Amino acid sequence: MPKIGVVVLTMGDRPAELRALLDSVAAQEGDPAAVVVLAQGVALSPLPDGVDGVELPENLGIPGGRNAGVRWLRERGGVDVVVVLDDDGSLPRTDTFRLVREAFAANQRLGVAGFRIADETGASQRRHVPRLGGRNPLVSGPVTTFLGGGHAIRMSVIDQVGDFPAPFFYAHEETDFAWRALNAGWEIDYRADMVLQHPRTAASRHKVYYRNTGRNRVWLAKRHLPAVLVPVYLATWAAYTLVQRPPLSGLVAWWSGFFEGVRTPCPPRRPMRWRTVWRMTRLGRPPVF
């Protein structure tokens, strides 16, 4: 069965939640996973036995921190599947890693398995379901992206398509990775039975949410979409943002990020194949929404 390595990023401000997460990881059935906790520019609190800690000299952002965790697991060796978990989440079931191992062993084309994010009541927020409209959170199936808070990636997929895009810092790094994986022929599954329990929160709680969302949408399109789809994608998301009626400060930050993305490059540009566009369309989410 595939061997699992776990990456957890922390800013050092949630020691109790981090300990609960690590306890839930230790309680998983089967062989113990290799676990590394990376502190982003802060000192690490004491960790349980069997958990390795790395203190990064600065905050590299979510994709940069994950990349550092993957490098640590790669150097350690013997890891086939990387599981990434938020430091304020926990695994309510003890068979989650067994399900991960079975999924990747059964389907050699499975590149990513996205977990279901659920609050303490078992409900999933609409934004945590990687389907248009946030439909059917309790139904597993193929999708075109995955949630960053809880997911598993085959190490060989990372070797093939590359790291998470570190310049993104926060927002849409999972979609960038997912599009590259799909274009390389890998499959992405949303697994409702692989659950990460996570407090109900608003994405806008992050100070950089609006700015980075606007900027990274543009970078995502410039990096991966056929030229004719770039303006369609950006117009769609601009319209969606206006319909959501964010606060004025958020709207100003979003447009500031949008035009920053237009002005600044984020190479490399490698447009996906049209057959990937068609495949995503058949999966229910063409790359214009």
Side-chain angles (χ1 to χ4, degrees), residues 39 58 61 67 75 78 123 145-146 149 186 191 202-203 214 221 240 252 266 279:
E58 60 181 311
N67 294 340
E75 291 170 1
T145 189
F146 58 95
W186 295 96
R191 289 290 299 260
Y240 176 81
V252 170
C266 187
R279 179 183 174 197

Side-chain angles (χ1 to χ4, degrees), residues 168-171 206-217 219 250 252-258 260-261:
F168 279 40
F169 195 81
Y170 164 80
H206 298 288
K207 292 181 180 180
V208 297
Y209 169 75
Y210 288 110
R211 172 182 168 272
N212 281 27
T213 295
R215 182 195 65 187
N216 293 356
R217 285 285 182 198
W219 280 354
V252 170
W254 192 92
W255 281 110
S256 174
F258 183 93
E260 179 187 351

